Amino acid sequence: MEKPNMSYIQSMSGGDNAFEQKLIAIIKAEFPEEKKVYFNNLEAQNYKLTAENVHKLKHKISILGLEKSYETAVAFENNLLEGSTTLQDEFESILRIMTNYLQQL
């Protein structure tokens, strides 16, 4: 499984460490809440709202340099819109990896 990294953030920042830290702080603040809402909507089997949650989360997946995981998130979002939870385990594994990475930053 691929690992989160700072490559994309560093390429956007042009070496501006303050910008990088601000972006990381935003992700660290928003990610836990977005993840919580995802799980709540999934548990309620509201797949349309869950797909919207995945849509928001996939932007953070991309920012953390997880290209293959982003593709998985896109496919999972589409599955949810069709009423299927196929790829749920894979997506939630991505969330765990992101959680661990963000806790180490």
Side-chain angles (χ1 to χ4, degrees), residues 52-99:
E52 291 176 15
N53 303 136
V54 171
H55 185 81
K56 283 184 180 179
L57 286 162
K58 75 181 181 189
H59 295 296
K60 289 175 178 56
I61 291 170
S62 176
I63 289 171
L64 292 178
L66 298 166
E67 294 175 20
K68 290 182 178 139
S69 298
Y70 180 85
E71 292 171 16
T72 300
V74 169
F76 182 48
E77 179 185 2
N78 290 332
N79 290 346
L80 287 165
L81 291 171
E82 295 172 5
S84 169
T85 58
T86 302
L87 296 176
Q88 176 183 344
D89 290 341
E90 291 87 340
F91 182 76
E92 291 176 6
S93 176
I94 295 164
L95 295 181
R96 282 190 294 279
I97 289 167
M98 291 172 64
T99 299

Side-chain angles (χ1 to χ4, degrees), residues 3 6 23 29 34 39 47 53-54 65 76 78 87 100 105:
K3 297 182 184 200
M6 295 285 293
L23 186 55
E34 289 176 6
F39 281 111
Y47 298 141
N53 303 136
V54 171
F76 182 48
N78 290 332
L87 296 176
N100 292 339
L105 290 179

Side-chain angles (χ1 to χ4, degrees), residues 22-56:
K22 185 173 182 178
L23 186 55
I24 291 166
I26 291 168
I27 292 170
K28 286 174 111 173
E30 291 178 353
F31 180 72
E33 183 60 30
E34 289 176 6
K35 188 172 71 167
K36 179 178 156 192
V37 173
Y38 157 81
F39 281 111
N40 288 342
N41 286 327
L42 185 67
E43 185 177 328
Q45 296 183 349
N46 188 334
Y47 298 141
K48 184 178 185 309
L49 284 178
T50 306
E52 291 176 15
N53 303 136
V54 171
H55 185 81
K56 283 184 180 179

